[in-house]
Amino acid sequence: MTEIERESMDYDVVIVGAGPAGLSAAIRLKQLDADLEVVVLEKGSEVGAHILSGAVLDPCGLEALIPDWKEKGAPLNTEVTKDNFYMLGEGGQIRIPNWPMPPLMNNHGNYIVSMGNVCRWMAEQAEALGVEIFPGMACSELVYGDNGEVKGVIAGEFGKAPDGTPGPGYEPGMVLNGKYVMLSEGVRGSLAKEVIAKYDLSAGKEPQKFGLGMKEIWEVDPAKHRIGTVTHTMGWPLGSNAGGGSFIYHLENNQVYVGFVVHLNYENPHLYPYMEFQRFKHHPMVAELLKGGKRVAYGARAISEGGYQSMPKMVAPGVALLGCSVGMVNVPRIKGNHNAMLSGKAAAEAAHAALKDGRSGDELTAYEDEVRGGAIAKDLKRVRNVKPLWSKLGMLPSLMLGGLDMWVANITGWNPFGTMKHGKTDAAATGEASKFKEIDYPKPDGVLSFDRLTNVSFAATNHEEEQPCHLQLADPSIPISVNLPKYAEPAQRYCPAGVYEVLDGDDGPRFQVNFQNCVHCKTCDIKDPSQNINWVTPQGG
């Protein structure tokens, strides 16, 4: 095939992903030097389109980046006024008092926000400083220099036929070169995954762990709305089948974020995370809140849960990994956006210093040093044993021992349990189907609970059918020859969008990939027990 010719543009810094980390890096670079050429590339149709909105934001990252954010109109409008923690049983709940909680678990002073709106506002701040932001520009490939350094990306390639060859409306995209490239793709980004593998950045680190977070936005009866209230639950319906829990956040305009997280290290391949979420909404406490309301949006994303001990090396020649590309979520707080912002700021400061010294294409070691020795490390080290304790001991023992570990670390900076290991990857944790009972899930009622395809229509993703499938099977035979007999092909259940099906055919069962349904959660890339599925960036939104 003839070499594809592409136009190229040169920048000082190329940033992939207009999330909180990437936008923070862009803003800080221009704050430090208005003459720097900075570009941000975003695969969504607009900034915020692929941000799974709805979070409690610790404003410390924003304070460090833009101290006058209030005066500039940042959309942080709903301060947390009440914190609730519940242990659920099938028919009731027990409230856990706030006083035993370590101080870091207190949400007062934090804000319930739409992260999509926060990122849109941050993009406005970046553009006002002179940052170029190109939405609708998926970055499909990295470009390497003569010495093996990352020197740019290929973005905006469209019009490939399903077989991967150029179609009649093919657009080759552009090469955007940078003296440094920053990857802020979010969890399990395809370019970050390539960089981590190429430069062996996870050597000596614990495997990254993940959860699947599913979220619906509801408009509820105004009489039931309690603006500023934050509720977290554990227990039912997951029980001993999996770790996880829920969150319910009341923000303005009678809207409520209803979310559910399932830790992806569960063993029973019959578990159906999406249906656990739908079943959760029938708990009496939740059903009463949602009764008479309507769901207005849905989405799902993987969440990095490995914490401090799972963070890979963050720099390689010419490239830095930011935010969730590294894994900076504080698991017990269910918060990572503040650390993402701090990481973007730190990477920008390291890049600015390097550029000022006339460097390019080398490792931004000052960025790594700041993350591992600064505020991000302080935040994550205190909670580093919560996830492995839960995985090894279960919910109740981990509540007590994890709470003790966090309390001591909060007071002294020392973790009594040291740094615990995670052990297996989430894929390797999957057990054989014959060793577990199937789980009978009630049918969605269409009022409180919904089937997957109905909910996918409320997600802000779209894929043209006449493009290459972005869910690549290393071996197309494995789903039927290995995963089906051994694991009852769990892709049918772990995907929250109904992408994967096992269908009966004339020659026996066959595996179907409905990639048009994909909501970009990356769960398949993480949980497939044979590690046979590779999620890559699709052509557009």
Side-chain angles (χ1 to χ4, degrees):
M1 181 176 172
T2 307
E3 182 78 16
I4 296 173
E5 293 187 8
R6 296 183 171 94
E7 294 182 13
S8 65
M9 296 179 68
D10 296 332
Y11 292 88
D12 291 306
V13 180
V14 174
I15 300 170
V16 180
L23 291 169
S24 295
I27 289 168
R28 187 60 180 151
L29 282 163
K30 295 294 276 189
Q31 287 175 339
L32 291 167
D33 185 347
D35 293 327
L36 288 177
E37 296 291 332
V38 180
V39 65
V40 178
L41 304 165
E42 166 57 37
K43 68 180 170 66
S45 59
E46 63 173 354
V47 173
H50 286 178
I51 299 292
L52 189 54
S53 292
V56 173
L57 177 66
D58 181 337
C60 66
L62 197 56
E63 291 275 4
L65 183 70
I66 307 175
D68 57 344
W69 57 266
K70 287 186 180 179
E71 291 77 8
K72 290 186 174 178
L76 279 66
N77 304 317
T78 304
E79 190 167 357
V80 175
T81 57
K82 188 173 184 180
D83 253 337
N84 296 319
F85 297 88
Y86 288 101
M87 188 73 67
L88 298 188
E90 186 169 1
Q93 66 277 345
I94 298 173
R95 182 171 180 186
I96 302 171
N98 292 60
W99 60 264
M101 302 283 180
L104 62 92
M105 298 295 289
N106 187 344
N107 276 307
H108 291 278
N110 299 329
Y111 292 82
I112 303 171
V113 299
S114 160
M115 281 309 299
N117 288 340
V118 171
C119 287
R120 291 182 188 97
W121 176 84
M122 291 179 70
E124 292 172 2
Q125 308 309 303
E127 288 180 321
L129 292 169
V131 175
E132 295 182 41
I133 300 178
F134 297 147
M137 292 283 277
C139 296
S140 53
E141 296 180 46
L142 292 167
V143 178
Y144 295 95
D146 295 337
N147 298 315
E149 79 280 12
V150 175
K151 73 169 191 177
V153 298
I154 295 172
E157 187 176 27
F158 291 98
K160 284 186 175 181
D163 64 358
T165 60
Y170 178 69
E171 298 177 19
M174 298 183 64
V175 176
L176 293 101
N177 295 311
K179 295 172 183 174
Y180 294 101
V181 175
M182 297 181 179
L183 301 180
S184 54
E185 303 169 285
V187 173
R188 199 79 165 190
S190 53
L191 300 185
K193 196 167 84 162
E194 178 181 329
V195 165
I196 291 169
K198 178 178 176 64
Y199 299 103
D200 198 20
L201 302 185
S202 289
K205 311 297 183 184
E206 284 296 293
Q208 186 59 264
K209 307 294 284 184
F210 300 91
L212 170 58
M214 298 158 285
K215 186 180 301 178
E216 294 171 357
I217 302 177
W218 281 71
E219 291 180 0
V220 300
D221 181 344
K224 301 175 183 177
H225 188 243
R226 302 288 182 266
I227 190 167
T229 297
V230 166
T231 298
H232 292 98
T233 78
M234 294 178 289
W236 189 87
L238 288 172
S240 60
N241 285 322
S246 82
F247 54 90
I248 302 171
Y249 303 153
H250 292 244
L251 71 161
E252 61 261 34
N253 301 321
N254 298 316
Q255 287 195 333
V256 176
Y257 297 131
V258 182
F260 198 81
V261 178
V262 178
H263 300 170
L264 288 176
N265 62 348
Y266 62 83
E267 295 182 336
N268 185 348
H270 300 295
L271 188 82
Y272 195 159
Y274 175 84
M275 289 307 300
E276 296 286 351
F277 175 31
Q278 299 306 304
R279 184 161 62 164
F280 157 76
K281 291 183 292 177
H282 286 274
H283 186 276
M285 182 182 78
V286 185
E288 177 57 31
L289 170 65
L290 302 181
K291 184 179 178 181
K294 65 176 181 178
R295 164 220 46 190
V296 297
Y298 167 71
R301 294 288 186 277
I303 303 167
S304 58
E305 295 186 336
Y308 187 79
Q309 55 267 60
S310 295
M311 294 195 307
K313 184 180 176 184
M314 299 161 218
V315 294
V319 66
L321 309 181
L322 313 185
C324 280
S325 293
V326 177
M328 298 181 179
V329 172
N330 184 312
V331 173
R333 297 182 75 199
I334 322 181
K335 291 179 182 63
N337 289 309
H338 63 298
N339 285 335
M341 293 178 184
L342 291 172
S343 77
K345 179 176 178 289
E349 290 168 352
H352 171 256
L355 292 167
K356 192 175 178 181
D357 289 343
R359 293 159 42 203
S360 67
D362 60 343
E363 294 190 2
L364 293 172
T365 54
Y367 163 56
E368 177 115 14
D369 292 343
E370 169 58 28
V371 170
R372 296 198 183 274
I376 295 173
K378 182 179 179 181
D379 185 53
L380 296 179
K381 282 183 175 179
R382 291 183 296 179
V383 301
R384 62 190 174 201
N385 292 321
V386 171
K387 171 68 175 178
L389 280 168
W390 193 329
S391 300
K392 296 176 191 300
L393 302 177
M395 182 177 63
L396 290 176
S398 71
L399 272 178
M400 294 181 286
L401 295 177
L404 171 65
D405 198 60
M406 284 191 290
W407 260 112
V408 174
N410 188 77
I411 296 169
T412 68
W414 169 74
N415 290 79
F417 294 110
T419 300
M420 298 182 67
K421 296 182 180 296
H422 292 301
K424 297 178 181 178
T425 66
D426 292 333
T430 312
E432 295 184 16
S434 60
K435 298 178 181 179
F436 297 89
K437 290 183 178 180
E438 293 189 31
I439 303 171
D440 183 26
Y441 291 100
K443 185 178 179 180
D445 66 0
V447 179
L448 293 179
S449 50
F450 311 97
D451 65 81
R452 285 185 294 188
L453 295 186
T454 298
N455 246 352
V456 166
S457 68
F458 285 79
T461 53
N462 180 53
H463 310 90
E464 293 292 337
E465 294 188 18
E466 293 303 315
Q467 66 171 281
C469 176
H470 64 281
L471 302 162
Q472 302 173 346
L473 302 181
D475 183 343
S477 71
I478 281 179
I480 299 304
S481 65
V482 177
N483 285 359
L484 186 59
K486 191 171 183 179
Y487 305 105
E489 186 42 276
Q492 303 173 89
R493 293 173 293 280
Y494 61 58
C495 173
V499 168
Y500 303 101
E501 294 181 279
V502 174
L503 302 176
D504 292 326
D506 294 337
D507 299 322
R510 64 182 179 87
F511 191 62
Q512 180 161 304
V513 181
N514 305 305
F515 72 88
Q516 302 89 343
N517 295 357
C518 180
V519 294
H520 301 190
C521 72
K522 323 283 181 62
T523 301
C524 54
D525 193 301
I526 296 162
K527 186 59 177 172
D528 178 60
S530 298
Q531 286 295 272
N532 188 50
I533 301 173
N534 183 38
W535 188 99
V536 299
T537 302
Q539 290 184 163

